[in-house]
Amino acid sequence: MLLLLSYFYGNLSDSLLQKHKDDAREVSQIGMGVIRYFYKLEVAGELSMAEAKRLAANALENATYKKNGYYWINLGNGTLYMQPHTPERVGINQISWTDIKGKRIFEEFIHVAKRGGGWVEYYWKKPHNSMEFHKVSYVDYFEPWDWVLGTGKYLDDIEQETEDIIIRGSTLATILLLIFIGFSVFFGSQLIDRLSQLAVRDSLTGLYRRRYLIESIPSLIKLQQRESNGLMAILFMDIDHFKKVNDTHGHAAGDEVLTTIAGLLRQRSRPSDLLIRYGGEEFVVVGQFDNEDAILSYAERIRDVISDYQFVVTKNSFKMTISIGIAVFIPGEESFEKAIQRADTYLYQAKQNGRDQVIMQ
């Protein structure tokens, strides 16, 4: 029981963290929807810019959710525009402010938000508490008003939630164990198998999660050492203009695009290829190839099949493209993590060069 609970705790913590991160991203999109609503009223001439901003900020300031959940807004220059629990900082430029770990968090908020939105980890005070706590937040950028919108979750709250679930679950499990001792082995094995799948599989696309890739690095290195005549390639992929799909057609359409592209990857890949949903609209494929031409041919097939595919969601028809960066992993010359970073760098170059293309160096 102790071993089972210990295993369950680790997997549940990861699952809850991912769930809360997904929730924060969805809440961020709701907040962006509020901002866009008042912006449309401004554009239509029904409100002045100042009045539209004031109403939007007021709505978000009062939109608290769950435990310690709230929105804040800072400007692109680092000035804090709205923060319901630290009003003394509002109107003050925070660009040089650092948390207890020395991180200039407003610089990172702005950098990540202007690159299309994403996650930032840092330390910040809780409401009605003078101490700074570890937090992860999703930030997004609204360019017309130069607003960075953020919302997130304190990690110790997630840990407390995990512990509460564990306590309730362990109590119930003990009672059930005493009553149904004859079924404990069967149901225990089923539970462990299910938790393992949840820990390594993305619930939306069915592909492996980033965590699984990290855990597989030692075996991937051994595989490359055994298959020394071939090349191990890391293909880092990102859907072009994915945010526009969510903004134009809604998040359900975005989920449909992700699941469809995951299916296309499975159809065009070999059983030995490792398919990963790395995060958001990013995918990673790791596979063995005979030579560089074979790697490029595979990548171009993936790019072509996605660019040719006609996505149809709720009677809306549209096409998508994907950019790909490729790094060949050579054991002894660099770490596998460094090879992943190189593939990500080449992906960024593909984006900078106009998207819908493959770069391998």
Side-chain angles (χ1 to χ4, degrees), residues 219-320:
S219 53
L220 289 171
I221 293 174
K222 290 180 181 178
L223 173 63
Q224 176 57 22
Q225 290 171 341
R226 289 197 306 269
E227 306 289 339
S228 57
N229 292 331
L231 298 177
M232 178 172 286
I234 302 168
L235 292 81
F236 211 123
M237 310 178 183
D238 185 89
I239 304 172
D240 298 326
H241 302 297
F242 179 74
K243 189 172 183 293
K244 185 177 179 180
V245 175
N246 285 331
D247 293 342
T248 305
H249 304 290
H251 287 280
D255 289 347
E256 183 70 22
V257 168
L258 289 170
T259 55
T260 299
I261 289 181
L264 293 173
L265 283 175
R266 277 192 292 265
Q267 293 173 15
R268 297 304 188 276
S269 299
R270 303 158 299 182
S272 60
D273 294 331
L274 185 60
L275 307 181
I276 305 290
R277 183 186 177 191
Y278 201 74
E281 61 272 24
E282 295 178 333
F283 298 88
V284 168
V285 177
V286 181
Q288 289 285 129
F289 298 87
D290 293 334
N291 49 53
E292 292 186 355
D293 288 341
I295 299 171
L296 286 171
S297 176
Y298 170 81
E300 289 293 350
R301 287 200 304 272
I302 294 295
R303 188 188 62 80
D304 286 341
V305 73
I306 292 174
S307 63
D308 291 341
Y309 191 87
Q310 192 75 27
F311 292 85
V312 179
V313 180
T314 60
K315 299 182 180 180
N316 294 309
S317 178
F318 54 90
K319 289 197 171 186
M320 302 294 298

Side-chain angles (χ1 to χ4, degrees), residues 165-201:
I165 293 174
I166 288 294
I167 292 172
R168 294 195 300 269
S170 61
T171 302
L172 178 61
T174 301
I175 295 173
L176 291 176
L177 182 64
L178 294 173
I179 297 173
F180 304 106
I181 188 69
F183 299 95
S184 61
V185 174
F186 172 76
F187 287 117
S189 63
Q190 292 295 310
L191 176 62
I192 291 173
D193 181 66
R194 178 58 179 162
L195 287 174
S196 298
Q197 288 298 314
L198 288 174
V200 301
R201 290 280 186 181

